[in-house]
Amino acid sequence: MGSSGINAEYMGSSGINAEYMGSSGINAEYMGAMAGNKKGKKKKWSKGKVKEKKNNLALFMQGDGEDGDKYEQALVSIPKMKTITIAVVSERLKVRGSLARKLIRLLSQRGEIRKITDERGMCIYTKQAKDEDDEE
């Protein structure tokens, strides 16, 4: 007899009636847990959708190839955009975010684009408003 006064033969190792569970308490617990699952099989998880990897440019290369004039194209097209962010430039010009940041910084220093806000790393720019004095 144990210190709690309960018959040791009556109780299994986990404190559940061993006679009710059968000869082996562990197997009966496992089988009881598996009974709730359909046909005793483990659930198969879906692998999820895999995003296609983007092959964006990391550098502007000089040359006559199709990527050779991307730098000049970027300097012309970015100031024409209404809303300019790193994500927008990166997506439209197919360049990496670090390269987009440098392009935006360069155009901002030149005065071709105007900063709207710079809050928590999210920089938003817009095209420079045309002044009447510049057109004359």
Side-chain angles (χ1 to χ4, degrees), residues 62-87:
Q62 289 182 341
D64 296 331
E66 62 183 54
D67 293 337
D69 60 342
K70 285 268 189 179
Y71 181 71
E72 285 80 18
Q73 178 187 354
L75 293 180
V76 171
S77 65
I78 293 174
K80 294 178 182 175
M81 295 179 187
K82 186 173 182 180
T83 303
I84 303 166
T85 63
I86 297 165

Side-chain angles (χ1 to χ4, degrees), residues 8-128:
E9 293 175 7
Y10 183 72
M11 296 295 290
S13 61
S14 62
I16 300 173
N17 187 345
E19 292 174 5
Y20 177 74
M21 289 190 333
S23 61
S24 175
I26 295 172
N27 287 339
E29 286 177 10
Y30 178 74
M31 294 307 288
M34 293 304 286
N37 202 349
K38 295 178 182 177
K39 300 181 186 176
K41 293 182 182 177
K42 284 189 174 181
K43 181 174 179 180
K44 293 182 181 177
W45 295 93
S46 65
K47 303 234 189 246
K49 294 182 180 178
V50 179
K51 226 176 171 182
E52 188 175 323
K53 187 175 181 191
K54 295 181 180 179
N55 192 15
N56 292 344
L57 290 176
L59 294 171
F60 286 122
M61 302 296 284
Q62 289 182 341
D64 296 331
E66 62 183 54
D67 293 337
D69 60 342
K70 285 268 189 179
Y71 181 71
E72 285 80 18
Q73 178 187 354
L75 293 180
V76 171
S77 65
I78 293 174
K80 294 178 182 175
M81 295 179 187
K82 186 173 182 180
T83 303
I84 303 166
T85 63
I86 297 165
V88 169
V89 172
S90 175
E91 188 68 30
R92 288 197 189 158
L93 299 176
K94 302 289 187 244
V95 296
R96 296 248 172 123
S98 58
L99 205 56
R101 255 193 316 272
K102 289 179 182 179
L103 282 170
I104 291 172
R105 212 175 287 140
L106 175 74
L107 290 170
S108 178
Q109 288 173 352
R110 285 186 183 178
E112 294 183 29
I113 59 176
R114 183 173 52 95
K115 183 186 279 191
I116 296 174
T117 183
D118 181 10
E119 188 171 329
R120 297 186 179 198
M122 181 66 183
C123 301
I124 301 174
Y125 294 82
T126 189
K127 58 186 174 183
Q128 194 69 275

